[in-house]
Amino acid sequence: MVPHLVSRWPVWLFRCRAAYSPGASVQQKTWAGMSRAAPWGIVGTSPLVCRHRSSTSSRAPEVMLTHKRYPVRRLPFSVVSEEDLAAFERMVPGRVITDPEELEASNVDWLRTVRGCSKVLLRPRTSEEVSRILRYCHERNLAVNPQGGNTGMVGGSVPVFDEIILSTALMNQVISFHDVSGILVCQAGCVLEELSQHVEQRDFIMPLDLGAKGSCHIGGNLATNAGGLRFLRYGSLHGNVLGMEVVLADGTILSGLTSLRKDNTGYDLKQLFIGSEGTLGVITAVSILCPPKPKAVNVAFLGCPGFAEVLQTFSCCKGMLGEILSAYEFMDAECMRLVGHHLQLARPVQESPFYVLIETSGSRAEHDAEKLSNFLEQVLDSGLVTDGTLATDQRKVKALWALRERITEALSLDGYVYKYDVSLPVERLYDLVTELRARVGPRAKHVVGYGHLGICPFLLKC
């Protein structure tokens, strides 16, 4: 989550996921949410299966300090003093981290491209504690960098200089869940995968799913308006979030944890904070609508001879699968080779220039199977698809999804990664990959493209 407060805001420097340009003096520091934008530009979204940081500590010094790598300057904020540390200790007893070894993982981003030099990390448990911290820092002119799961891939969740890191990791409590309406109320530091498990035990699912679900926080998902793998079926967070609680830079708490789907009373303030990337406030709690858990889930993994066939298959897919279509993902052959080479994941179909993953979710297995069977017969007979495999049991479904979700992990093992999350007209998506390959030539080890074709954004990496 990143905050982007202009320098005129009383001594704030918040960071989370907002973007700033390499040549800028960074007059604005971000704040609130959970991840700030990359110093080089385009914001990325889809993290990884489980981006834990256990091994980062011993390697952190290898990463160049951000302020040495990029032409940014520190604004005239105060430096944390012993008196400040004592004040923080009174606010969050036993949760003030100053040990350099413990701080290393929180100072380095997941891709290991940027590194801050924060000397203090605070771990509040409640919105009231966040409020006291921000009010104090506001008065003392201390810069703050909110941090959630630190799974972002654009450097937005780590400090640039010596900002205080405000971690939401301990704000991880489920406040309530209504078994009839499916409305979940929880703190912003809850890990997405744990929330998914919580609601699935009650026959519901979260409306979003990300590769980084094992580590990312729901507050960061909201602050960056994450789309993810279920966007095609359940839509954006703007439609699924019913309310939220936010703490502003001066410590003011905006409480709007409504559980009403229809509320016409006044301004719909929560919409301002979804996707604000921390520029308006630190999200501390959320009320979100969860759809019922599908009784039948199928995943098909198909090979296509070209990108034109990928698009035609998508059109056919929408027409024949209709209401049960829940995901449509594509990847190129280079992605598949890297996943096989670095992660030893087997390719389930014959080699093809492109691959498509299709998921259906419905309430009647027989009905869904019939529709899917008719669709597969159609695309195979027409030559849009050259080979395919179908999974209905949970183990194989997860194995097929791993081929898509772990592409980022495979790329990170292959070398230094530049990642761009781009939205273009669907028919022009892959042109960007082919043009970039021609432009960079041998200077790039790989240029690959993959992503959520059904909602236009895709991921470009080189």
Side-chain angles (χ1 to χ4, degrees):
M1 294 116 359
V2 221
H4 218 167
L5 293 186
V6 296
S7 56
R8 295 196 195 327
W9 269 74
V11 310
W12 271 97
L13 162 77
F14 284 90
R15 286 209 176 216
C16 258
R17 191 168 199 152
Y20 58 90
S21 303
S25 61
V26 189
Q27 298 275 349
Q28 330 149 336
K29 253 220 160 174
T30 46
W31 77 289
M34 292 159 210
S35 67
R36 174 197 66 239
W40 47 86
I42 303 178
V43 173
T45 43
S46 95
L48 241 262
V49 179
C50 211
R51 296 181 181 161
H52 296 303
R53 322 239 343 153
S54 57
S55 62
T56 301
S57 176
S58 62
R59 299 181 297 155
E62 301 170 2
V63 182
M64 183 182 294
L65 288 167
T66 304
H67 69 264
K68 291 185 177 179
R69 181 173 182 178
Y70 297 99
V72 295
R73 65 181 177 84
R74 187 185 188 280
L75 296 181
F77 295 103
S78 301
V79 176
V80 177
S81 67
E82 291 298 325
E83 290 76 15
D84 295 326
L85 293 177
F88 292 140
E89 185 62 36
R90 289 191 295 272
M91 296 178 205
V92 286
R95 288 169 279 140
V96 179
I97 310 302
T98 57
D99 183 344
E101 290 192 4
E102 289 189 64
L103 286 166
E104 282 183 14
S106 297
N107 269 309
V108 182
D109 74 315
W110 187 80
L111 280 180
R112 300 185 56 73
T113 58
V114 289
R115 177 165 65 100
C117 49
S118 175
K119 304 288 194 297
V120 185
L121 182 145
L122 306 177
R123 291 176 174 164
R125 286 199 175 101
T126 66
S127 299
E128 290 71 26
E129 289 181 345
V130 173
S131 175
R132 287 195 288 271
I133 291 169
L134 297 190
R135 185 180 300 112
Y136 180 87
C137 292
H138 178 84
E139 294 169 353
R140 277 278 295 121
N141 192 24
L142 292 167
V144 174
N145 182 108
Q147 186 176 94
N150 200 11
T151 58
M153 304 185 69
V154 293
S157 56
V158 296
V160 172
F161 298 101
D162 58 346
E163 302 93 296
I164 296 167
I165 299 174
L166 179 66
S167 171
T168 59
L170 297 183
M171 301 181 68
N172 57 3
Q173 299 301 306
V174 172
I175 299 170
S176 66
F177 182 78
H178 196 281
D179 291 324
V180 176
S181 65
I183 295 172
L184 170 73
V185 180
C186 65
Q187 289 184 299
C190 291
V191 174
L192 179 58
E193 186 171 49
E194 294 175 3
L195 291 178
S196 295
Q197 293 169 352
H198 182 84
V199 299
E200 283 180 18
Q201 291 171 4
R202 295 156 177 80
D203 287 329
F204 286 83
I205 62 172
M206 294 296 291
L208 77 160
D209 186 24
L210 306 170
K213 58 193 170 194
S215 302
C216 68
H217 294 183
I218 190 66
N221 299 151
L222 269 61
T224 56
N225 193 19
L229 307 171
R230 292 176 179 162
F231 188 100
L232 185 62
R233 177 67 175 272
Y234 301 111
S236 78
L237 289 170
H238 281 289
N240 291 301
V241 172
L242 304 179
M244 65 174 67
E245 185 177 69
V246 182
V247 181
L248 304 183
D250 62 356
T252 300
I253 299 177
L254 296 183
S255 183
L257 281 178
T258 178
S259 57
L260 299 175
R261 294 191 64 180
K262 179 178 173 59
D263 185 351
N264 294 341
T265 58
Y267 298 107
D268 192 5
L269 292 178
K270 67 177 181 293
Q271 302 296 348
L272 295 175
F273 295 96
I274 299 173
S276 65
E277 307 195 22
T279 59
L280 302 177
V282 179
I283 298 171
T284 55
V286 58
S287 171
I288 189 167
L289 180 65
C290 300
K293 183 179 179 180
K295 292 181 170 57
V297 176
N298 301 289
V299 171
F301 196 89
L302 314 174
C304 293
F307 191 68
E309 286 76 12
V310 170
L311 297 179
Q312 292 176 59
T313 300
F314 181 48
S315 296
C316 184
C317 190
K318 289 189 293 181
M320 297 187 69
L321 298 180
E323 78 286 353
I324 66 171
L325 177 62
S326 56
Y328 190 93
E329 303 283 316
F330 91 97
M331 65 201 76
D332 59 22
E334 197 66 23
C335 289
M336 183 63 71
R337 281 193 284 272
L338 289 168
V339 166
H341 177 70
H342 292 291
L343 304 176
Q344 290 73 53
L345 299 181
R347 173 167 41 84
V349 298
Q350 68 183 35
E351 188 171 1
S352 302
F354 291 90
Y355 302 92
V356 168
L357 185 150
I358 299 169
E359 182 186 78
T360 65
S361 304
S363 58
R364 286 186 55 221
E366 300 82 3
H367 169 267
D368 297 359
E370 181 181 357
K371 296 189 76 167
L372 192 54
S373 177
N374 292 337
F375 162 74
L376 293 175
E377 183 178 353
Q378 171 69 24
V379 294
L380 283 165
D381 289 347
S382 64
L384 295 178
V385 169
T386 55
D387 192 19
T389 185
L390 180 64
T392 56
D393 69 274
Q394 195 63 19
R395 182 186 59 81
K396 191 175 180 183
V397 164
K398 288 184 177 180
L400 292 180
W401 266 114
L403 294 169
R404 161 63 181 89
E405 290 183 319
R406 300 185 68 187
I407 293 172
T408 295
E409 184 181 358
L411 286 165
S412 69
L413 295 172
D414 200 63
Y416 196 92
V417 179
Y418 286 91
K419 175 178 181 289
Y420 303 93
D421 194 344
V422 185
S423 293
L424 290 172
V426 66
E427 68 276 5
R428 300 296 307 278
L429 274 181
Y430 206 73
D431 291 350
L432 189 58
V433 179
T434 54
E435 184 169 333
L436 189 57
R437 281 175 179 163
R439 289 198 180 196
V440 300
R443 288 176 293 176
K445 197 172 180 183
H446 302 283
V447 178
V448 304
Y450 63 97
H452 324 304
L453 190 67
I455 57 174
C456 287
F458 85 121
L459 301 161
L460 172 71
K461 299 197 179 186
C462 59

